[in-house]
Amino acid sequence: MVKRVKRRIWLAGLVVTLGAMLVWIDPRGPQDSTPDPEAQAQEPGHVLENAEITLFGETGTIQQSLQTPYLVHTPQSALTEATSPRATLFDNEQRRWLATADSGTLNTDTLALTLSGSARLLAPDEGWQLDTELLQYNGVTRHAWSEVPVELQQPPQHISASRMDVWLDDSQVRLTDNVRGSHPPATQTP
C-alpha cells in the first residue's frame, strides 16, 4: 500500500513538472513584453458618433466648435480625425464663420484645423463662400488659408486663384497667383 501511494505521488509530481515545463516552453504562454510607446501614441483613445467638440480660448470665449457624425480622437498626439465635419469658427467679435469638408483633422492643443475634400468656408454676414480642396485654419490667430486652387463666390461674382488667405478678425481675403474672375456689371431695375 505504501508503495502504491509513493508511485501515485511520484506520478502526480511528474505530471505537474511536465505541465510546468510545457507552459514555460510554449511560445503562446505568458510572456513579459514592454509596450511600444510609439505604437501606443497612434492608438485612438475615443471613437464617437454624432459628436460635437467645443474649444475655448485662454479668456474662456469659444474659439471653434466641430460637429461630425464620426470622430476618432488620439489623446497622446491631441489629434482628432472627423468624417464630414461642420466647423463653426468664431472671430474676435464672436461672429460665426462656417466651414465644411469631406474629412478633417483637429489638433486640440494648437487649435489647428485641416479640412480636406470639397472644403468650403462661408462668411454668412458678408454673403460669400470660398471653395477649395484643402483648407488650413489656425484657431489662435484666426487665419485660414489654402495653397491649392480656390474659388471665391458672392453671386453673381466669382473669382478663382491659386492661393488664398482669410483673416477672420479683419474680414479680409487675399487671393494670390493666377487670379481670374467674373464681375458682371450691376443692373438697375426701374
Side-chain angles (χ1 to χ4, degrees):
M1 178 103 163
V2 172
K3 195 174 186 179
R4 192 183 275 175
V5 171
K6 283 184 180 182
R7 183 177 281 167
R8 285 184 182 167
I9 291 174
W10 183 82
L11 203 56
L14 181 64
V15 168
V16 168
T17 304
L18 285 174
M21 285 178 54
L22 286 174
V23 168
W24 181 69
I25 294 173
D26 187 7
R28 296 171 293 165
Q31 298 176 355
D32 291 335
S33 63
T34 57
D36 181 7
E38 223 175 278
Q40 277 186 322
Q42 301 304 320
E43 292 178 4
H46 310 288
V47 176
L48 302 171
E49 292 181 0
N50 299 320
E52 182 174 350
I53 296 176
T54 303
L55 299 175
F56 297 88
E58 292 178 3
T59 61
T61 58
I62 297 175
Q63 295 291 328
Q64 57 185 296
S65 69
L66 181 75
Q67 294 177 332
T68 178
Y70 187 77
L71 172 144
V72 177
H73 179 69
T74 307
Q76 294 87 346
S77 59
L79 287 181
T80 301
E81 295 178 21
T83 303
S84 301
R86 295 193 52 186
T88 304
L89 313 173
F90 295 87
D91 62 19
N92 60 350
E93 295 176 11
Q94 291 299 293
R95 291 180 297 179
R96 296 171 188 249
W97 299 67
L98 306 174
T100 60
D102 295 335
S103 63
T105 304
L106 173 65
N107 184 315
T108 54
D109 285 346
T110 63
L111 303 179
L113 175 65
T114 302
L115 299 172
S116 56
S118 300
R120 176 172 283 170
L121 179 63
L122 299 168
D125 293 345
E126 287 80 12
W128 57 260
Q129 77 179 34
L130 184 124
D131 296 301
T132 185
E133 282 302 308
L134 183 65
L135 181 67
Q136 305 281 337
Y137 178 70
N138 182 325
V140 175
T141 61
R142 293 186 279 277
H143 171 229
W145 71 94
S146 179
E147 296 178 350
V148 298
V150 298
E151 184 171 0
L152 178 67
Q153 299 178 55
Q154 188 174 23
Q157 303 174 30
H158 65 87
I159 304 170
S160 63
S162 297
R163 187 185 189 311
M164 168 282 308
D165 289 279
V166 177
W167 291 270
L168 274 55
D169 289 347
D170 301 327
S171 294
Q172 205 176 72
V173 178
R174 180 177 64 200
L175 299 169
T176 311
D177 297 333
N178 201 23
V179 178
R180 298 175 190 263
S182 170
H183 303 276
T187 57
Q188 293 185 1
T189 55

